[in-house]
Amino acid sequence: MNQSLSTFLKIAITVLSISAFLFFIGYNMIGTETNQYISKISSMDNNLPDGSSGSNN
């Protein structure tokens, strides 16, 4: 009984550790990609005409 419980806990801790590690890597990757996307959209937005000279006022 103790041996099977010990084995189960080792496997559970290993799975939780790997899951946390992968989550941390994925979270950082998403943050990096989001920041790159925001800067790309901002630079595109700065090059668009502002539309303030239109006749629809």
Side-chain angles (χ1 to χ4, degrees):
M1 177 70 183
N2 286 339
Q3 181 65 30
S4 61
L5 182 61
S6 175
T7 303
F8 174 75
L9 289 176
K10 286 179 187 177
I11 293 172
I13 290 172
T14 303
V15 168
L16 286 174
S17 300
I18 291 172
S19 298
F21 182 69
L22 291 176
F23 178 80
F24 181 73
I25 289 174
Y27 186 80
N28 285 337
M29 286 175 56
I30 289 173
T32 302
E33 294 296 324
T34 302
N35 290 337
Q36 289 177 0
Y37 181 74
I38 288 172
S39 65
K40 188 181 293 185
I41 294 299
S42 296
S43 67
M44 288 174 63
D45 190 35
N46 291 336
N47 293 329
L48 293 175
D50 61 359
S52 62
S53 63
S55 61
N56 293 335
N57 292 337

